[in-house]
Every structure is written in C-alpha cells, then in structure tokens.
Amino acid sequence: MALLHTLAPSVTEQIRADHAHALATFHQFRADMPAERKQALVRNVCLAVEIHADLEEEIFYPAMRELGPDSELVAKSFPEHDHMRLAITRLRSMAASEPDYDKTFLDLMRDVLHHVADEETTLLPAAERLLPERLGELGLRMARRRVELTAQRAGELGATAWQALPESAVGAATAAWHAGTQWAGRMTSSWWRRR
Ligand SMILES: [Fe+2]
Ligand SMILES: [Fe+2]
C-alpha cells in the first residue's frame, strides 16, 4: 500500500483532484467573457468531466459496488453521468455565441456540483472506511487508464488547453490537474519498465 502510494495517488485522492480541477475551471467562467475564451473553458471542463466519468465507471464504481451498502448511490451515478454526457454533446454542437450556450453550461455545472457533493460526502468517505487496503491499487489502475484516455484525446486536450486563457487565470487546481496528467504518464511508464 505504501509502495503503491509512492507510484500513484490513491483513487480517492485522484477523484478529489479531478473534482477540484473541474470546479476551479468553472469558477473562471464569466457570462461576459469573449466567446473564444468561453468556448475553450467550457470544452476544457467537458473533456475533464468525460475522462473523469469514464475512470470512475471503469475502476472506482465497480469496486464500490462489490461492497453492497453504498451500491444505491453507485447505481444512481451511472444515469447522472449519462445525463452530463448529453449536455456535453449538446454544448459541443453549439457556438458560444448562441443564446442557450451559457444556460446549457450552467445547467451542466449544477448537475456536476450536485453529483460531486454526493460523492465527496458519501462515496469517497465510504471507500476510505471500507476499502483502505485497495485505495492504492485502484489509484494505480486509475492513473494508468488516465494516461490511455488522455492520449486518445490528446488533440482535443491541446485545443482546449488553458493557453487560450490569460496566465493569471490558471488556477492552482487546474495546474495540478495538468501536472497530474503528465505525472501519471511518467510514473506509469516507469512502473511498467520495472515489471
Ligand atoms: Fe461520478
Ligand atoms: Fe466524481
């Protein structure tokens, strides 16, 4: 467990960091910001939410489901993620100048905030209470899968990166998220070389 933790943050630490990144990016949103910057910000959040939802569904939720007691919250999480994916698809088809663009994004963020609150007040503490011996292993699997998903979407990630925003607007959590993505790649490849 201690060794695994030196290779990757635990699964709950990664999930909290992803939440912090999405919320920090959202807090940069202003209705009156230039359309191009607004679109970059929205696309960055959408991509981060999609990758995060995939990681949870593939690695974290199945482990929680095995426990039973919190399986109801896990079951509810899948349709909530799907609901977010629909809003993301809709946002991608829209121009930032369209009248419904802001409302669609703000509705998505309301859903994300609600979902994050459920996870951070129920699911993550339950995982830390009931699965302490698996947090490191799940974290390593999540870090490895994150590298794959990020690589598959490298083009989009580049196009939505924060270069579109002023340097001063880069929040600490956003910087940490990007650093974490790069770090996951380095650690995972060195981990595999040692196998
Ligand atoms: Fe989730
Ligand atoms: Fe989450």
Side-chain angles (χ1 to χ4, degrees):
M1 168 76 184
L3 175 63
L4 288 177
H5 199 262
T6 64
L7 297 172
S10 77
V11 69
T12 51
E13 285 170 342
Q14 289 183 54
I15 289 172
R16 285 196 183 91
D18 284 352
H19 292 169
H21 162 74
L23 300 189
T25 310
F26 168 54
H27 289 155
Q28 313 280 341
F29 177 88
R30 297 289 179 273
D32 61 355
M33 69 201 300
E36 197 177 317
R37 280 176 50 198
K38 185 184 285 186
Q39 196 145 23
L41 183 154
V42 168
R43 287 187 172 171
N44 186 286
V45 173
C46 289
L47 190 58
V49 168
E50 278 183 326
I51 291 175
H52 178 77
D54 287 349
L55 290 172
E56 285 185 336
E57 289 179 11
E58 290 181 28
I59 291 157
F60 181 57
Y61 293 167
M64 290 305 290
R65 222 171 203 167
E66 289 170 17
L67 295 173
D70 292 294
S71 60
E72 202 177 306
L73 189 55
V74 175
K76 168 170 109 68
S77 292
F78 285 93
E80 287 184 2
H81 282 185
D82 286 344
H83 192 73
M84 293 173 203
R85 289 184 177 105
L86 281 177
I88 289 170
T89 302
R90 182 146 182 257
L91 279 164
R92 288 213 176 99
S93 71
M94 298 171 88
S97 54
E98 285 185 45
D100 270 359
Y101 191 81
D102 287 8
K103 182 181 181 316
T104 306
F105 179 62
L106 294 172
D107 285 348
L108 167 66
M109 287 315 300
R110 192 180 310 115
D111 290 343
V112 168
L113 287 165
H114 180 87
H115 182 76
V116 162
D118 275 351
E119 290 188 341
E120 296 214 4
T121 57
T122 307
L123 221 45
L124 300 187
E128 286 159 354
R129 200 172 61 248
L130 302 169
L131 285 178
E133 74 293 344
R134 292 201 62 199
L135 300 180
E137 163 229 328
L138 292 169
L140 194 55
R141 282 176 50 203
M142 184 173 271
R144 280 164 34 204
R145 185 64 179 135
R146 183 186 301 277
V147 174
E148 291 172 358
L149 292 175
T150 304
Q152 284 167 17
R153 311 193 67 173
E156 286 171 82
L157 199 61
T160 66
W162 281 98
Q163 287 87 314
L165 297 169
E167 200 56 37
S168 60
V170 180
T174 296
W177 186 74
H178 286 293
T181 302
Q182 290 163 8
W183 169 88
R186 285 198 307 275
M187 292 310 291
T188 305
S189 54
S190 67
W191 186 82
W192 278 111
R193 276 199 302 275
R194 286 200 295 272
R195 303 292 292 169

